[in-house]
């Protein structure tokens, strides 16, 4: 028996914020602790959360418009999802046994095939978005029996932080150069001529294409750029002509985040493989999937017994995770999440238009659809930014430093003064995210925008100065 002090769950729930931060420093990552402590939200002690609200131990409530960074389409702790998980546990259902057929894995895979178009009929269930992406890469490579070398991706993309998924990500969020999978090439986002030129240059001596897969985010969440329907239709045609597996990454945008159930479906195309995760688990389960068209799966893994288990995972299709995802999907249908998403878009676009009109000296533009929107600010002319640029500190030499500082200051001000939790992008273009859970109502949306307008009335440069002062003192 280990003669050491171990925390119980009850012990953890009694820890004060200062104690938690101390444990982060010692056992998690001291830089992470320092980063989160820079913001007022880092002082919060959470008691519980429900819907779009976080409740603290000192009886405050915080409006969460982050959508759990894509996970909380259903909001915090949806009662129907809690009930399904409770029932699963009370009945002592079996989680996993790979040699016994799972009704939950079977039922969830069936439901996915019913909701997706065409013959997107076969699912592999895993844990994270990056795992789904890696599995889809392997499937595409195996489909071509390893006889093609290249996978191509957009020059604006984020597909994950594992070695494989990071290899096909062109994002400053993955700035450190880790080892990469071989033979990855990029094309210009939403530019079909760039795609055609890349495919043309990647051919075997026989003239056959040497590209086994192309992966694309039809809605690129980090930049709020959206592929045109014209581009995507031509993209599918080019992939079909060259027998290239077309993979649509819907990790973030799936389950009505941009209006339709999956963003690609609003363009009338049929990819060969679709990846999904985040809100797929209803905010309570760590689950993801890649779903492939029937001919792809059958040729790669479904023809002989030797290939059947080439791609597996210890936690593939865990029972409670599958049961949770089944309920999460059914909620999106029963509660008409499509209508909710388009209603959020309608209200948000009206308020964003007003922002640009009333604060044109500070707000550059707003972009997005459904419940995914970015608010971009004008920060190039901030006097305080020009002064800080002269400070001999490496971080101030980052060409996005002022934009990041302004977004950080605004998000911190929104929390400290209005008890709103909002985050910002950390990519090429810095924007304040408005990407709430789909259970948010009109009053709560308007509270966010009213608070943002009140914030901007103070002036960005004053808010930035206050933020810097808080960091120093």
């Amino acid at each position: 028996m280990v003669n050491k002090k171990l925390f119980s769950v009850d012990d953890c729930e009694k820890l004060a914020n200062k104690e938690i931060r101390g444990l982060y420093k010692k056992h998690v990552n001291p830089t992470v602790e320092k980063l989160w402590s820079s913001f007022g939200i880092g002082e919060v002690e959470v008691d519980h959360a429900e819907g779009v609200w976080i409740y603290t131990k000192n009886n405050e409530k915080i409006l969460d418009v982050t959508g759990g960074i894509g996970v909380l389409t259903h909001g915090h702790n949806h009662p129907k999802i809690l009930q399904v998980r409770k029932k699963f546990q009370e009945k002592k259902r079996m989680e996993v046994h790979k040699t016994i057929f799972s009704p939950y894995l079977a039922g969830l895979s069936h439901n996915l095939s019913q909701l997706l178009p065409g013959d997107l009929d076969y699912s592999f269930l895993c844990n994270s978005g990056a795992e789904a992406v890696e599995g889809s890469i392997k499937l595409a490579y195996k489909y071509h029996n390893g006889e093609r070398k290249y996978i191509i991706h957009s020059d604006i993309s984020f597909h994950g932080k594992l070695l494989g998924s990071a290899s096909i990500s062109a994002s400053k969020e993955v700035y450190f150069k880790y080892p990469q999978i071989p033979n990855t090439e990029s094309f210009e986002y939403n530019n079909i001529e760039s795609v055609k030129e890349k495919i043309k240059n990647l051919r075997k001596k026989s003239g056959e294409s040497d590209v086994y897969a192309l992966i694309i985010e039809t809605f690129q969440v980090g930049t709020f750029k959206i592929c045109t329907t014209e581009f995507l239709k031509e993209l599918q045609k080019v992939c079909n002509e060259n027998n290239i597996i077309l993979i649509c990454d819907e990790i973030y945008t799936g389950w009505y985040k941009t209006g339709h159930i999956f963003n690609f479906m609003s363009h009338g195309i049929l990819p060969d493989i679709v990846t999904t995760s985040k809100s797929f688990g209803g905010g309570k389960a760590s689950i993801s999937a890649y779903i492939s068209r029937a001919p792809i799966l059958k040729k790669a893994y479904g023809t002989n017994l030797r290939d059947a288990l080439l791609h597996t995972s210890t936690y593939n299709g865990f029972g409670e995770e599958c049961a949770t995802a089944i309920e999460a999907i059914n909620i999106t249908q029963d509660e008409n999440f499509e209508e909710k998403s388009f209603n959020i878009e309608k209200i948000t676009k009206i308020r964003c238009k007003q922002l640009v009109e009333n604060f044109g000296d500070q707000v550059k533009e707003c972009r997005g659809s459904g419940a995914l929107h970015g608010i971009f600010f004008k920060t190039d002319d901030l006097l305080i930014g020009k002064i800080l640029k002269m400070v001999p500190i490496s971080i101030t030499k980052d060409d996005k430093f002022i934009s990041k500082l302004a977004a950080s200051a605004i998000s911190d001000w929104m929390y400290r003064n209005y008890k709103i939790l909002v985050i910002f992008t950390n990519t090429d273009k810095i924007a304040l995210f408005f990407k709430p859970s789909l259970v948010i109502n009109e009053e709560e949306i308007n509270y966010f925008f009213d608070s943002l307008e009140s914030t901007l009335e103070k002036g960005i440069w004053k808010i930035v100065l206050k933020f810097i002062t808080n960091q120093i003192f």
Side-chain angles (χ1 to χ4, degrees):
M1 182 176 175
V2 177
N3 188 24
K4 298 284 185 179
K5 165 63 178 174
L6 300 179
F7 287 123
S8 67
V9 173
D10 287 339
D11 291 333
C12 293
E13 292 173 352
K14 293 174 184 175
L15 289 172
N17 180 270
K18 186 176 181 180
E19 294 174 296
I20 296 169
R21 287 161 58 176
L23 292 169
Y24 264 67
K25 285 182 181 179
K26 288 183 178 180
H27 305 300
V28 181
N29 185 327
T31 308
V32 168
E33 187 278 332
K34 184 177 181 181
L35 177 61
W36 300 146
S37 296
S38 300
F39 297 89
I41 196 70
E43 303 165 6
V44 168
E45 294 183 9
V46 174
D47 182 75
H48 67 283
E50 184 176 4
V52 294
W53 294 96
I54 298 170
Y55 298 84
T56 70
K57 290 183 178 179
N58 63 347
N59 297 318
E60 290 182 331
K61 67 177 191 174
I62 303 164
L63 177 62
D64 181 2
V65 297
T66 69
I69 314 180
V71 172
L72 295 174
T73 293
H74 301 73
H76 292 276
N77 292 308
H78 193 289
K80 290 183 179 178
I81 291 174
L82 294 182
Q83 185 60 36
V84 161
R85 291 175 72 88
K86 181 180 179 182
K87 183 178 178 181
F88 188 97
Q89 295 158 15
E90 287 176 344
K91 293 192 173 184
K92 298 181 180 179
R93 297 298 193 196
M94 188 179 74
E95 276 288 6
V96 61
H97 200 302
K98 297 304 181 188
T99 58
I100 299 176
F101 289 117
S102 165
Y104 308 106
L105 186 153
L108 179 55
S109 300
H110 164 83
N111 288 357
L112 287 169
S113 73
Q114 295 300 296
L115 292 171
L116 285 161
D119 57 352
L120 283 162
D121 292 335
Y122 285 88
S123 297
F124 182 87
L125 302 164
C126 36
N127 301 105
S128 69
E131 284 182 75
V133 168
E134 304 244 342
S136 68
I137 295 171
K138 287 179 63 180
L139 176 59
Y141 188 76
K142 179 62 173 63
Y143 172 80
H144 284 289
N145 202 31
E147 295 172 356
R148 293 190 180 190
K149 290 172 56 177
Y150 295 95
I151 179 170
I152 60 177
H153 63 91
S154 167
D155 62 346
I156 303 172
S157 55
F158 180 79
H159 299 292
K161 294 180 181 177
L162 298 179
L163 291 183
S165 55
S167 299
I168 53 172
S169 292
S171 168
K172 288 191 175 181
E173 194 171 343
V174 190
Y175 71 91
F176 185 82
K177 297 300 181 185
Y178 287 101
Q180 295 190 328
I181 61 173
N183 304 317
T184 65
E185 296 276 349
S186 68
F187 57 86
E188 185 179 340
Y189 189 79
N190 201 37
N191 184 335
I192 195 62
E193 294 306 319
S194 176
V195 174
K196 289 178 179 179
E197 184 67 19
K198 184 64 63 174
I199 292 173
K200 177 183 175 182
N201 293 334
L202 299 175
R203 292 196 177 276
K204 301 178 183 180
K205 290 181 180 179
S206 64
E208 180 189 9
S209 177
D210 210 8
V211 178
Y212 63 88
L214 181 152
I215 187 166
I216 187 77
E217 296 162 284
T218 60
F219 182 120
Q220 213 292 312
V221 178
T223 59
F224 295 91
K225 291 188 176 181
I226 307 173
C227 291
T228 64
T229 297
E230 180 185 16
F231 167 80
L232 290 170
K233 284 185 176 294
E234 188 66 19
L235 181 69
Q236 180 173 11
K237 179 182 176 183
V238 170
C239 286
N240 288 346
E241 290 172 348
N242 291 277
N243 197 21
I244 295 169
I245 300 301
L246 175 59
I247 305 169
C248 280
D249 183 337
E250 296 270 0
I251 301 296
Y252 210 123
T253 52
W255 306 110
Y256 300 103
K257 286 299 287 185
T258 64
H260 294 90
I261 186 167
F262 289 102
N263 188 266
F264 79 85
M265 292 170 68
S266 64
H267 301 282
I269 65 166
L270 180 66
D272 296 302
I273 305 173
V274 179
T275 61
T276 183
S277 187
K278 292 197 180 284
S279 60
F280 181 39
K284 300 302 289 186
S286 175
I287 188 169
S288 64
Y290 64 83
I291 308 102
S292 68
R293 293 182 56 232
I296 312 300
L297 184 283
K298 288 179 179 178
K299 182 180 176 184
Y301 299 140
T303 301
N304 61 68
L305 295 177
R306 186 182 181 188
D307 293 336
L309 301 179
L310 264 179
H311 186 74
T312 59
S313 166
T314 300
Y315 295 103
N316 162 230
F318 236 48
E320 189 170 339
E321 268 45 41
C322 287
T324 305
I326 288 169
E327 184 64 18
I329 290 174
N330 282 320
I331 289 169
T332 68
Q333 305 305 298
D334 296 341
E335 298 184 9
N336 200 344
F337 272 33
E338 182 174 287
E339 182 180 10
K340 289 179 184 293
S341 186
F342 283 119
N343 282 340
I344 291 169
E345 177 182 317
K346 181 180 178 181
I347 299 167
T348 300
K349 287 196 170 181
I350 291 171
R351 294 306 304 261
C352 280
K353 185 173 183 289
Q354 292 170 351
L355 270 182
V356 175
E357 289 174 351
N358 298 332
F359 299 93
D361 58 329
Q362 299 179 82
V363 180
K364 184 184 298 183
E365 64 174 322
C366 301
R367 294 203 298 264
S369 66
L372 279 178
H373 297 266
I375 302 166
F376 297 80
F377 299 100
K378 295 178 179 178
T379 57
D380 295 340
D381 295 328
L382 284 179
L383 177 61
I384 194 168
K386 294 177 180 178
I387 295 171
L388 287 171
K389 280 288 187 180
M390 295 185 286
V391 177
I393 303 175
S394 60
I395 190 171
T396 64
K397 307 308 176 187
D398 179 355
D399 61 352
K400 303 299 178 186
F401 170 68
I402 303 306
S403 295
K404 292 177 183 177
L405 179 62
S408 299
I410 292 169
S411 62
D412 190 55
W413 184 276
M414 295 280 283
Y415 166 70
R416 292 183 185 275
N417 293 276
Y418 303 106
K419 292 296 177 281
I420 296 174
L421 177 59
V422 59
I423 59 174
F424 57 93
T425 60
N426 186 25
T427 54
D428 292 347
K429 302 292 183 182
I430 310 302
L432 202 69
F433 267 135
F434 180 66
K435 46 182 185 178
S437 304
L438 296 188
V439 297
I440 196 169
N441 62 38
E442 184 173 355
E443 181 182 354
E444 292 158 344
I445 296 171
N446 284 323
Y447 176 67
F448 167 79
F449 280 100
D450 289 344
S451 300
L452 180 56
E453 287 183 358
S454 296
T455 298
L456 293 175
E457 285 172 356
K458 299 290 182 182
I460 292 179
W461 74 271
K462 290 183 180 179
I463 292 169
V464 169
L465 185 60
K466 179 65 175 177
F467 181 69
I468 293 172
T469 302
N470 288 339
Q471 305 309 305
I472 297 173
F473 302 103

